Short mmCIF file of all heavy atoms in Angstrom, two decimals:
data_model
loop_
_atom_site.label_atom_id
_atom_site.label_comp_id
_atom_site.label_asym_id
_atom_site.label_seq_id
_atom_site.Cartn_x
_atom_site.Cartn_y
_atom_site.Cartn_z
N GLY A 118 123.03 298.28 129.17
CA GLY A 118 123.94 297.56 128.50
C GLY A 118 124.68 296.40 129.37
O GLY A 118 124.70 295.33 129.03
N LYS A 119 125.09 297.10 130.49
CA LYS A 119 125.71 296.19 131.48
C LYS A 119 124.71 295.13 132.05
O LYS A 119 125.11 293.95 132.27
CB LYS A 119 126.46 296.88 132.59
CG LYS A 119 127.66 297.62 132.05
CD LYS A 119 128.40 298.37 133.26
CE LYS A 119 129.54 299.20 132.79
NZ LYS A 119 129.00 300.20 131.72
N LYS A 120 123.69 295.55 132.37
CA LYS A 120 122.53 294.64 132.81
C LYS A 120 122.20 293.54 131.86
O LYS A 120 122.19 292.36 132.21
CB LYS A 120 121.27 295.50 133.25
CG LYS A 120 121.42 296.30 134.44
CD LYS A 120 120.07 296.96 134.82
CE LYS A 120 120.14 297.99 135.82
NZ LYS A 120 120.83 297.83 137.08
N ILE A 121 122.09 293.89 130.64
CA ILE A 121 121.71 292.93 129.55
C ILE A 121 122.99 291.92 129.41
O ILE A 121 122.72 290.70 129.22
CB ILE A 121 121.48 293.62 128.11
CG1 ILE A 121 120.14 294.38 128.23
CG2 ILE A 121 121.47 292.64 127.07
CD1 ILE A 121 119.90 295.33 127.12
N MET A 122 124.20 292.43 129.48
CA MET A 122 125.36 291.57 129.32
C MET A 122 125.81 290.96 130.68
O MET A 122 126.79 290.31 130.67
CB MET A 122 126.56 292.31 128.69
CG MET A 122 126.23 292.95 127.32
SD MET A 122 125.64 291.80 126.09
CE MET A 122 126.91 290.55 126.03
N LYS A 123 124.99 291.16 131.77
CA LYS A 123 125.18 290.58 132.96
C LYS A 123 126.66 291.02 133.55
O LYS A 123 127.48 290.14 134.05
CB LYS A 123 125.14 289.06 133.07
CG LYS A 123 123.71 288.70 132.68
CD LYS A 123 123.67 287.17 132.87
CE LYS A 123 122.37 286.47 132.55
NZ LYS A 123 121.11 286.92 132.39
N LEU A 124 126.94 292.24 133.54
CA LEU A 124 128.15 292.90 134.15
C LEU A 124 127.78 293.90 135.18
O LEU A 124 126.65 294.41 135.21
CB LEU A 124 128.94 293.61 132.91
CG LEU A 124 129.31 292.71 131.69
CD1 LEU A 124 129.84 293.64 130.62
CD2 LEU A 124 130.29 291.81 132.05
N LYS A 125 128.69 294.15 136.01
CA LYS A 125 128.49 295.20 137.05
C LYS A 125 129.94 295.87 137.38
O LYS A 125 131.03 295.31 137.08
CB LYS A 125 127.83 294.65 138.30
CG LYS A 125 128.78 293.85 139.22
CD LYS A 125 128.05 293.36 140.41
CE LYS A 125 128.95 292.59 141.39
NZ LYS A 125 128.25 292.34 142.58
N ILE A 126 129.69 297.18 138.03
CA ILE A 126 130.87 297.84 138.22
C ILE A 126 131.26 297.77 139.67
O ILE A 126 130.32 297.84 140.52
CB ILE A 126 130.65 299.45 137.83
CG1 ILE A 126 130.27 299.53 136.47
CG2 ILE A 126 131.93 300.22 138.18
CD1 ILE A 126 129.63 300.89 136.12
N ILE A 127 132.52 297.35 139.98
CA ILE A 127 132.90 297.16 141.44
C ILE A 127 134.11 298.19 141.73
O ILE A 127 134.82 298.47 140.89
CB ILE A 127 133.19 295.69 141.65
CG1 ILE A 127 134.45 295.28 140.96
CG2 ILE A 127 132.09 294.85 141.57
CD1 ILE A 127 135.01 293.92 141.51
N ASP A 128 134.23 298.40 143.03
CA ASP A 128 135.39 299.21 143.52
C ASP A 128 136.51 298.15 143.52
O ASP A 128 136.50 297.01 143.97
CB ASP A 128 135.11 299.53 144.91
CG ASP A 128 136.13 300.48 145.57
OD1 ASP A 128 137.33 300.06 145.56
OD2 ASP A 128 135.91 301.58 145.92
N SER A 129 137.75 298.56 142.78
CA SER A 129 138.88 297.71 142.80
C SER A 129 139.39 297.23 144.12
O SER A 129 139.98 296.21 144.21
CB SER A 129 139.92 298.39 141.96
OG SER A 129 139.51 298.68 140.63
N LYS A 130 139.36 298.16 145.13
CA LYS A 130 139.98 297.86 146.45
C LYS A 130 139.03 296.96 147.33
O LYS A 130 139.52 296.10 147.89
CB LYS A 130 140.17 299.15 147.15
CG LYS A 130 141.26 299.96 146.57
CD LYS A 130 141.47 301.33 147.32
CE LYS A 130 142.62 302.10 146.60
NZ LYS A 130 142.81 303.36 147.33
N THR A 131 137.68 297.18 147.32
CA THR A 131 136.86 296.42 148.21
C THR A 131 136.08 295.23 147.50
O THR A 131 135.61 294.38 148.21
CB THR A 131 135.77 297.43 148.67
OG1 THR A 131 134.91 297.91 147.72
CG2 THR A 131 136.49 298.59 149.50
N ASN A 132 136.06 295.39 146.12
CA ASN A 132 135.41 294.31 145.45
C ASN A 132 133.83 294.34 145.57
O ASN A 132 133.19 293.35 145.37
CB ASN A 132 135.88 292.80 145.59
CG ASN A 132 137.24 292.73 144.91
OD1 ASN A 132 137.45 293.30 144.02
ND2 ASN A 132 137.93 291.70 145.38
N LYS A 133 133.31 295.47 146.19
CA LYS A 133 131.94 295.67 146.41
C LYS A 133 131.45 296.68 145.34
O LYS A 133 132.28 297.28 144.62
CB LYS A 133 131.71 296.27 147.83
CG LYS A 133 132.00 295.34 148.79
CD LYS A 133 131.74 295.87 150.33
CE LYS A 133 131.98 294.92 151.39
NZ LYS A 133 131.84 295.41 152.68
N ASN A 134 130.16 296.77 145.20
CA ASN A 134 129.57 297.63 144.10
C ASN A 134 130.32 299.06 144.27
O ASN A 134 130.28 299.57 145.37
CB ASN A 134 128.08 297.71 144.29
CG ASN A 134 127.35 296.58 143.82
OD1 ASN A 134 127.80 295.77 143.02
ND2 ASN A 134 126.09 296.50 144.11
N ALA A 135 130.52 299.55 143.20
CA ALA A 135 131.26 300.92 143.19
C ALA A 135 130.24 301.99 143.56
O ALA A 135 128.99 301.79 143.29
CB ALA A 135 131.72 301.28 141.79
N SER A 136 130.57 303.02 144.21
CA SER A 136 129.64 304.15 144.62
C SER A 136 129.15 304.79 143.37
O SER A 136 129.85 304.77 142.33
CB SER A 136 130.38 305.05 145.56
OG SER A 136 131.39 305.76 144.84
N VAL A 137 128.17 305.61 143.47
CA VAL A 137 127.75 306.42 142.36
C VAL A 137 128.72 307.38 141.91
O VAL A 137 128.89 307.50 140.72
CB VAL A 137 126.32 307.10 142.72
CG1 VAL A 137 125.73 308.01 141.69
CG2 VAL A 137 125.17 306.07 143.07
N GLY A 138 129.39 308.06 142.83
CA GLY A 138 130.41 308.92 142.47
C GLY A 138 131.46 308.28 141.60
O GLY A 138 132.01 308.97 140.67
N LYS A 139 131.97 307.13 142.09
CA LYS A 139 133.03 306.44 141.26
C LYS A 139 132.34 305.96 139.87
O LYS A 139 133.12 306.09 138.79
CB LYS A 139 133.45 305.17 141.87
CG LYS A 139 134.40 305.47 143.06
CD LYS A 139 135.03 304.21 143.73
CE LYS A 139 136.02 304.51 144.58
NZ LYS A 139 137.32 303.91 144.49
N ARG A 140 131.10 305.64 139.75
CA ARG A 140 130.67 305.34 138.53
C ARG A 140 130.46 306.46 137.53
O ARG A 140 130.55 306.26 136.38
CB ARG A 140 129.22 304.55 138.67
CG ARG A 140 129.30 303.07 139.26
CD ARG A 140 128.12 302.53 139.45
NE ARG A 140 127.63 302.62 140.72
CZ ARG A 140 126.28 302.70 141.23
NH1 ARG A 140 125.35 302.45 140.23
NH2 ARG A 140 126.00 302.91 142.49
N ILE A 141 130.25 307.68 138.11
CA ILE A 141 130.17 308.81 137.33
C ILE A 141 131.55 309.22 136.85
O ILE A 141 131.84 309.54 135.74
CB ILE A 141 129.44 310.08 138.02
CG1 ILE A 141 128.03 309.64 138.15
CG2 ILE A 141 129.58 311.33 137.36
CD1 ILE A 141 127.31 310.55 139.10
N LEU A 142 132.53 309.30 137.82
CA LEU A 142 133.95 309.67 137.65
C LEU A 142 134.55 308.89 136.49
O LEU A 142 135.18 309.32 135.55
CB LEU A 142 134.80 309.48 138.90
CG LEU A 142 136.27 309.77 138.83
CD1 LEU A 142 136.50 311.23 138.39
CD2 LEU A 142 136.86 309.59 140.02
N ARG A 143 134.13 307.57 136.50
CA ARG A 143 134.86 306.63 135.47
C ARG A 143 134.33 306.96 134.07
O ARG A 143 134.97 306.70 133.12
CB ARG A 143 134.52 305.20 135.72
CG ARG A 143 133.16 304.78 135.72
CD ARG A 143 133.01 303.27 136.05
NE ARG A 143 133.64 302.36 135.19
CZ ARG A 143 132.96 301.87 134.16
NH1 ARG A 143 131.76 302.36 133.72
NH2 ARG A 143 133.54 301.00 133.41
N ASN A 144 133.14 307.55 133.97
CA ASN A 144 132.67 307.94 132.58
C ASN A 144 132.91 309.29 132.19
O ASN A 144 132.84 309.67 130.91
CB ASN A 144 131.19 307.72 132.60
CG ASN A 144 130.74 306.28 132.60
OD1 ASN A 144 131.52 305.36 132.08
ND2 ASN A 144 129.67 305.95 133.13
N ILE A 145 133.48 310.18 132.94
CA ILE A 145 133.94 311.59 132.52
C ILE A 145 135.03 311.48 131.41
O ILE A 145 135.06 312.23 130.60
CB ILE A 145 134.38 312.35 133.77
CG1 ILE A 145 133.15 312.79 134.60
CG2 ILE A 145 135.09 313.58 133.44
CD1 ILE A 145 133.44 313.41 135.85
N THR A 146 135.77 310.39 131.50
CA THR A 146 136.91 310.27 130.73
C THR A 146 136.43 309.92 129.15
O THR A 146 137.27 309.99 128.34
CB THR A 146 137.96 309.13 131.06
OG1 THR A 146 137.21 307.93 131.14
CG2 THR A 146 138.62 309.62 132.39
N TRP A 147 135.19 309.70 128.99
CA TRP A 147 134.70 309.39 127.66
C TRP A 147 134.78 310.70 126.69
O TRP A 147 134.68 310.65 125.49
CB TRP A 147 133.23 308.84 127.63
CG TRP A 147 133.14 307.48 127.80
CD1 TRP A 147 132.55 306.87 128.88
CD2 TRP A 147 133.66 306.49 127.02
NE1 TRP A 147 132.72 305.45 128.74
CE2 TRP A 147 133.46 305.29 127.71
CE3 TRP A 147 134.38 306.46 125.74
CZ2 TRP A 147 133.82 304.05 127.11
CZ3 TRP A 147 134.84 305.26 125.26
CH2 TRP A 147 134.52 304.00 125.86
N ILE A 148 135.16 311.83 127.33
CA ILE A 148 135.46 313.09 126.52
C ILE A 148 136.69 312.72 125.60
O ILE A 148 136.84 313.37 124.55
CB ILE A 148 135.65 314.26 127.43
CG1 ILE A 148 135.63 315.56 126.65
CG2 ILE A 148 136.92 314.33 128.19
CD1 ILE A 148 134.38 316.23 126.70
#
Side-chain angles (χ1 to χ4, degrees):
K119 285 182 189 63
K120 288 183 191 310
I121 291 169
M122 299 309 298
K123 296 184 179 359
L124 302 171
K125 72 177 183 175
I126 304 164
I127 63 167
D128 186 300
S129 296
K130 292 180 181 178
T131 65
N132 288 334
K133 295 183 180 178
N134 283 345
S136 68
V137 173
K139 284 187 174 231
R140 286 183 268 153
I141 292 170
L142 177 62
R143 68 185 290 278
N144 287 331
I145 289 174
T146 59
W147 276 117
I148 193 103

